[in-house]
Amino acid sequence: GDVEHQRPGGLSDTDLVGLADEVGAADARSCIESGQHADLVPELTEDAMGRIDGTPAVEVDGTMLESTPTTAELTALLGRTTV
């Protein structure tokens, strides 16, 4: 059956799939829905919390962005399209 993964204070699988679809990463759906990497979430969250001073905060490929990007800017940063 369908299992909905959600960590306290985090986004649900449905929300994550919606965001992935929005930025052109629809192929992420199966990974998100399977929970394949769910065990990594606590470790990655703890690591990020040690580097983030406040919210909102966006990091792409190890670089902390100065401001919150638009969907188009984030999509471009991820190499999916251009702004």
Side-chain angles (χ1 to χ4, degrees):
D2 291 339
V3 176
E4 184 75 13
H5 302 93
Q6 183 171 4
R7 304 294 181 251
L11 297 173
S12 69
D13 290 353
T14 302
D15 293 335
L16 288 172
V17 166
L19 290 171
D21 286 345
E22 189 177 319
V23 298
D27 53 335
R29 175 185 292 271
S30 63
C31 178
I32 294 167
E33 290 178 343
S34 74
Q36 169 179 346
H37 299 291
D39 292 344
L40 291 174
V41 173
E43 178 184 340
L44 294 174
T45 300
E46 185 176 326
D47 178 58
M49 295 307 288
R51 295 179 284 110
I52 296 173
D53 295 347
T55 59
V58 179
E59 181 179 0
V60 177
D61 290 332
T63 301
M64 190 63 67
L65 304 181
E66 295 294 320
S67 61
T68 303
T70 64
T71 299
E73 290 168 336
L74 185 57
T75 301
L77 287 167
L78 295 173
R80 303 276 184 187
T81 188
T82 57
V83 176

